[in-house]
Amino acid sequence: MAKIIDGRAVSLKVKDSVKNEIAENKLDVSLAVVIVGDNSASRIYVNNKKKACEYCGIISHEYALPESTSEDELLQLVEALNNDDKINGILVQLPLPKHINENRIIERISPIKDVDAFHAENVGKIMIGNYSFLPCTPAGVMELIHSTGVLVKGKECVVIGRSNIVGKPMAMLLLHEDATVTICHSKTENLAEVCSRADVLVSAVGIAEFVKPEMVKQGAVVIDVGMNRNADGKLCGDVCFDEVEKKASFITPVPGGVGPMTIAMLMKNTLMARKIQK
Ligand code: GUN
């Protein structure tokens, strides 16, 4: 039976270290959070990010714009936040409405305020291994893996999903720690067979109950980045938790696994932004 990785407990440690550093050094740290339209999931994420800021002593400024906001208007806001010395971090919550080109917005955010690490300059720095910011979700997953005491060095690590936000940077962070990394995706042949070789399996596909027990090696560390609703409307990850739990050595729950870590790493990046700016 797997040990459950407590993402809330690990995230609290990260947030406490940010909070203490801010308090001890009496730092003014601020984050601008931009949300466009009324996507209910985005609203929940943004509220949780604001709550975490409050906990850590980071000042958050919310910019809630209507769905009808044009790309130019959003670019102007980003530009104003780039030029505002009182703002250390800028987060534009994704997804944006369809009429706005997300890449154009991300590329306008100043790389030194890009606390999501989505800007091409920051992505490139991560590839090279010389970075200020790590993308929040993959960095949070690495913290969770570290919390198990399992070293990924030399191990078979499989990432399911190849998004720019999670899958691709996740593979890179595992590689930085000398793992042997495979990325699987919707076109992968023998996906179940590839996954079943993994000592560490990270799923970021966004499909409820996608990872079945036969895809999991006995004793594997299983990290579930998914946040889905099952047929009954219940919040669940990508992994068939009840069955996979019996095979894994460690497993993250949903909720209470990766989700809180993403927010904690955002707090860490916002403090880092303050440090590299001053
Ligand atoms: N939407 C889902 N996850 C994220 C994230 O980590 N950052 C931003 N900006 N939007 C998201």
Side-chain angles (χ1 to χ4, degrees), residues 201-238:
L201 181 63
V202 180
S203 182
V205 270
I207 301 172
E209 288 156 20
F210 184 82
V211 178
K212 310 260 186 306
E214 55 272 24
M215 294 161 67
V216 177
K217 181 176 172 177
Q218 190 72 41
V221 175
V222 179
I223 308 284
D224 191 346
V225 183
M227 186 68 86
N228 317 299
R229 300 248 168 220
N230 69 10
D232 305 327
K234 191 172 159 251
L235 195 64
C236 66
D238 292 346

Side-chain angles (χ1 to χ4, degrees), residues 243-277:
E243 294 145 283
V244 171
E245 186 191 20
K246 297 189 182 102
K247 277 185 101 174
S249 57
F250 292 91
I251 189 167
T252 59
V254 177
V258 175
M261 289 308 297
T262 298
I263 296 180
M265 302 319 279
L266 174 69
M267 300 299 107
K268 194 170 164 181
N269 279 352
T270 306
L271 174 57
M272 175 57 75
R274 164 67 177 70
K275 289 199 252 182
I276 64 174
Q277 287 159 29

Side-chain angles (χ1 to χ4, degrees), residues 59-189:
I59 303 150
S60 69
H61 302 272
E62 180 180 311
Y63 297 83
L65 307 179
E67 181 85 17
S68 58
T69 302
S70 70
E71 190 174 295
D72 273 350
E73 285 169 322
L74 185 54
L75 286 170
Q76 277 169 30
L77 172 62
V78 168
E79 202 55 58
L81 295 170
N82 283 341
N83 295 326
D84 185 342
D85 288 344
K86 290 191 295 300
I87 298 290
N88 300 119
I90 302 171
L91 178 137
V92 179
Q93 186 65 29
L94 305 180
L96 289 168
K98 291 211 165 38
H99 63 275
I100 299 178
N101 180 323
E102 286 184 351
N103 267 338
R104 231 174 263 153
I105 304 299
I106 289 167
E107 291 311 307
R108 187 66 71 89
I109 296 172
S110 164
I112 57 167
K113 296 191 176 186
D114 171 35
V115 286
D116 269 320
F118 289 169
H119 190 287
E121 184 175 316
N122 287 322
V123 175
K125 284 182 165 178
I126 293 158
M127 289 282 286
I128 296 165
N130 166 29
Y131 45 77
S132 303
F133 305 118
L134 288 176
C136 300
T137 299
V141 169
M142 293 311 295
E143 291 284 335
L144 292 178
I145 296 172
H146 295 155
S147 78
T148 67
V150 171
L151 295 176
V152 300
K153 183 174 181 171
K155 298 267 169 58
E156 292 262 8
C157 296
V158 174
V159 179
I160 319 175
R162 55 174 159 177
S163 69
N164 288 335
I165 293 184
V166 185
K168 287 185 212 168
M170 186 72 249
M172 203 50 56
L173 300 198
L174 289 163
L175 189 61
H176 286 168
E177 295 193 12
D178 300 323
T180 301
V181 188
T182 305
I183 306 178
C184 293
H185 47 79
S186 55
K187 307 289 187 301
T188 299
E189 292 178 7

Side-chain angles (χ1 to χ4, degrees), residues 24-59:
E24 278 166 20
N25 298 291
K26 299 191 172 55
L27 298 175
D28 286 327
V29 185
S30 70
L31 174 68
V33 182
V34 182
I35 177 168
V36 186
D38 42 28
N39 178 316
S40 58
S42 290
R43 175 39 68 197
I44 294 169
Y45 291 137
V46 163
N47 287 349
N48 287 338
K49 287 170 187 180
K50 283 165 60 185
K51 260 190 240 163
C53 282
E54 210 169 301
Y55 180 84
C56 294
I58 293 173
I59 303 150

